[in-house]
Amino acid sequence: MLRFLWVAGPVGGAAAATAAAVFRSPWWWCAAVPLLVVTVLASKDLLQTRHSILRNYPVIGRLRFALEGIRPEVQQYFVERNVDGRPYDRDTRSIVYERAKGTDAEEPFGTELDLYESGREFLVPSMAPVAAPQHLPRVRVGGPDCSQPYAMALLNVSAMSFGSLSANAVLALNTGAALGGFAHDTGEGGLSEYHLRPGGDLVWEIGTGYFGCRTEDGDFDPGQFAEKAAHPQVKCVSLKLSQGAKPGIGGVLPGSKVDARIARVRGVPQGRTVVSPPYHRVFSTPRELVRFIGRMRGLAGGKPTGFKLCVGSRRQFLAVCKAMLEEGVTPDFVIVDGAEGGTGAAPLEFADHVGMPLTEGLMTVHNALVGTGLRDRIRIGASGKVATGSDLVKRLIQGADYTNAARAMMFAVGCIQAQRCHTNTCPVGVATQDPRRARALHVGDKSHRVRRYQEATVRSALQIMAAMGVDDPSQLRPHMLQRRIDPQTIRSYADLHLWLEPGQLLHDPPAPWARDWEAAHPDRFTV
């Protein structure tokens, strides 16, 4: 074409020269390349059948998906207020960050909460406060059948598996536990070198997959269990019945994530998808559960042994209590996980709608054990959105002896609540197996943050108790926690809830409990 214009005469030659200059110009290419890209994208959008938006609005419709992708960040940083973020609001996250860094966790000008909102709770201060104790209290975990009791801290690292968390995150958490003298729950993903290397105290959790102590076909292997439970860092062993965020279902770890390290820790084939069933093979009745707890304690050399659950049916837990009474076997501890508890990944319907919240679950377990005369033999741990000193004190009033925190501990090692735990793209290296992302988490620095956060939170709880006129957790009582029922009515937990007397269910069960107590059977889980 250019050749034709050139031979056509002076005018054609000028036009050809101009065209050649245009094609040589970088500005022409700057305009042509984007135009070509837009044309290709528009053609692709018009021809595809998956997205109606793109068929009606080619190219421009892609802006909708781009904005949707950054919606969580926009929400967190520019839209939400300090007190209404979910799962944790900004004020709570800030408290954890500041305590982890060792800076002041104090705010000016007063509360931003609506104190007249129905459901708002507050702790009762005393007109005669006492001095806060200087030593951090410990809870003795270990019943009459336990030969190696453990002194549990008031706040510990809750269950998070290696695989869900990066190796560096696990190392930082356990190093912090070693520095601060508190316990670190391994989660059900097995006992890894990253749990063991720093030397922190461990609660080894065994789930339905029996990872780390399983046979080739996925059954419980008593030999492997006894060998690993004998490790001096393993202070307690825990059987996981259910998890707050997803009670009643198992888990799936895709084969692409089962690398050599995870395969070795879990005792599964490398590269093969691992399925945790929703139920246990080792028991099917309350009586069998209780007997297996006793067997685990024997295999563990008498170390404290218990189980974790998200409470659903009061009748089922009473059935377990009846089995304990008939068998003469009790766990050393029960960990109550609330439905508000966290997870790396769970179906939304389960996280939102299945299982009891921690408050009701905790009081159910506490009262059931009191009413059956077993409470003095069994310690209760509370897990589910425990992050501050006030959270800790509330849970102690509601029946717990100690608490566990997972997401708050993640904040202490750098989690920013990006909520991408299930994508393997955690931006701060906490919940990922991507080596490049995980290396951003510096173990030496983050471990000290974990220690500082745990100590500051426990001291905050002790300071709150001192303001309530209490210098020991055992002195806390239900009337010290108040709840607003409506704009004109406030009632204490002592008035709102029925608190059983020791052994009351055995002799004269009160009406609200009588039907469940009668229906509970030690040989079946009856809803």
Side-chain angles (χ1 to χ4, degrees), residues 132-178:
Q134 293 303 306
H135 69 283
L136 303 181
R138 314 286 293 194
V139 178
R140 185 183 187 275
V141 178
D145 298 322
C146 173
S147 59
Q148 300 187 55
Y150 178 66
M152 189 77 71
L154 292 184
L155 178 64
N156 306 278
V157 181
S158 195
M160 293 179 284
S161 303
F162 167 60
S164 294
L165 298 189
S166 68
N168 280 5
V170 174
L171 285 169
L173 289 169
N174 194 258
T175 303

Side-chain angles (χ1 to χ4, degrees), residues 392-426:
L392 200 161
V393 176
K394 285 182 182 181
R395 299 314 180 188
L396 297 183
I397 289 175
Q398 291 167 352
D401 294 296
Y402 63 92
T403 62
N404 295 332
R407 285 168 292 181
M409 293 293 182
M410 290 171 65
F411 292 148
V413 297
C415 171
I416 59 172
Q417 196 169 278
Q419 296 179 263
R420 298 189 178 180
C421 311
H422 62 301
T423 66
N424 206 35
T425 59
C426 173

